[in-house]
C-alpha cells in the first residue's frame, strides 16, 4: 500500500498504515519538502519502519517518476490512501468573497485534482489481468457550507466529484475508488482550520 499524509502518530494516515501492517501489508509512505524528515521519524513508530519516498502531488516530475520510485520498494500496489489536503490561509477563515483565484486554484489543485493525479501515477502498479486494487481518499462532508471552511469546502466538493468520475473510469479496470469521511477529528489538518471547534 502507498500511504500519503503521515505527519504525526495522531494522523488518520498513520493509523491506517499501522493497521495495514498489523494485517500483513507492506507499506510505503510518501512525503515531501520539510515534512520528509518528520514522516521519516514518525515511520519509526510503526510496527515495521516503512520507506518514505518523496512525492509532491503538484509536481509533474514527481508524478511521472512515482511508479519507478515505488518499484524500488514493491513489485506492485494493491491500494493507495490519499490523505492530502491544503488551502492557503487566505482561502479559509471567513474570507470567501475576497479570496483570489490563485489561492482557490492551489486549494483545488492540492486537495481535489491530486486524487486523479496520484491515482493515474500509480495505475501502472495497480492494474493487470486478474488484479483488483483500491484507492481510498479521506474526505470531509461537503454537502453543507461549514463556518470558516470556505474554499476548502469547495475543494472537498470537487474531491468527492473527482472520486465518482475516477470510479466510473477505473472500475472496469478493477480499481475501486472510495472516500471515507471520519468526521471532525482533532488531527494536524484540523488544527490548521480556523474555527474548527465550531464544527
Amino acid at each position: 500500500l502507498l500511504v500519503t499524509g503521515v505527519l504525526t502518530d495522531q494522523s488518520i494516515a498513520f493509523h491506517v498504515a499501522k493497521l495495514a501492517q498489523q494485517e500483513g501489508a507492506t507499506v510505503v509512505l510518501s512525503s515531501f519538502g520539510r515534512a520528509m524528515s518528520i514522516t521519516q521519524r514518525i515511520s519509526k513508530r510503526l510496527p515495521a519502519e516503512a520507506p518514505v519516498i518523496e512525492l509532491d502531488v503538484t509536481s509533474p516530475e514527481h508524478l511521472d517518476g512515482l511508479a519507478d520510485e515505488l518499484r524500488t520498494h514493491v513489485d506492485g500496489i494493491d491500494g493507495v490512501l490519499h490523505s492530502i489536503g491544503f488551502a492557503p490561509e487566505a482561502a479559509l477563515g471567513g474570507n470567501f468573497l475576497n479570496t483570489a483565484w490563485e489561492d482557490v486554484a492551489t486549494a483545488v489543485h492540492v486537495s481535489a485534482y491530486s486524487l486523479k493525479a496520484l491515482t493515474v501515477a500509480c495505475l501502472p502498479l495497480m492494474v493487470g489481468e486478474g488484479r483488483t486494487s483500491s484507492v481510498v481518499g479521506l474526505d470531509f462532508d461537503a454537502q453543507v457550507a461549514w463556518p470558516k471552511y470556505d474554499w476548502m469546502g469547495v475543494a472537498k466538493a470537487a474531491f468527492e466529484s473527482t472520486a465518482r468520475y475516477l470510479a466510473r473510469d477505473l472500475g472496469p479496470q478493477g480499481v475501486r475508488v472510495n472516500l471515507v469521511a471520519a468526521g471532525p477529528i482533532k488531527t494536524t489538518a484540523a488544527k490548521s482550520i480556523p474555527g474548527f471547534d465550531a464544527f
Side-chain angles (χ1 to χ4, degrees):
L1 304 177
L2 172 63
V3 176
T4 67
V6 172
L7 281 177
T8 73
D9 55 9
Q10 297 302 307
S11 64
I12 296 171
F14 174 85
H15 289 281
V16 169
K18 180 180 177 182
L19 182 59
Q21 284 187 341
Q22 289 170 342
E23 293 294 323
T26 299
V27 172
V28 177
L29 305 180
S30 75
S31 190
F32 82 101
R34 291 179 297 176
M36 277 286 288
S37 61
I38 297 169
T39 303
Q40 289 164 340
R41 193 164 55 248
I42 296 300
S43 175
K44 293 178 170 63
R45 297 182 188 172
L46 289 169
E49 185 176 349
V52 181
I53 62 172
E54 186 164 21
L55 174 63
D56 174 355
V57 290
T58 67
S59 164
E61 294 79 16
H62 282 200
L63 291 164
D64 289 345
L66 180 58
D68 289 337
E69 182 72 22
L70 284 167
R71 282 190 187 98
T72 65
H73 302 285
V74 293
D75 295 329
I77 54 175
D78 301 298
V80 177
L81 178 71
H82 180 288
S83 180
I84 299 167
F86 173 75
E89 194 174 325
L92 297 163
N95 195 33
F96 186 82
L97 297 178
N98 298 311
T99 305
W101 165 243
E102 291 75 15
D103 293 320
V104 173
T106 298
V108 172
H109 190 178
V110 176
S111 307
Y113 182 81
S114 65
L115 179 64
K116 190 282 299 187
L118 177 63
T119 301
V120 170
C122 290
L123 272 183
L125 295 175
M126 294 172 66
V127 297
E129 192 169 341
R131 287 197 69 165
T132 58
S133 54
S134 183
V135 176
V136 175
L138 298 185
D139 194 14
F140 192 81
D141 179 12
Q143 296 180 78
V144 298
W146 293 98
K148 312 278 189 186
Y149 205 44
D150 294 357
W151 287 101
M152 193 62 177
V154 175
K156 283 298 185 183
F159 182 66
E160 292 174 4
S161 186
T162 300
R164 287 189 288 271
Y165 281 93
L166 280 172
R168 179 198 68 185
D169 288 354
L170 297 180
Q173 297 181 54
V175 180
R176 295 179 301 275
V177 182
N178 291 283
L179 302 180
V180 175
I185 296 172
K186 290 191 176 182
T187 61
T188 300
K191 289 176 188 170
S192 67
I193 301 168
F196 181 78
D197 288 342
F199 287 14

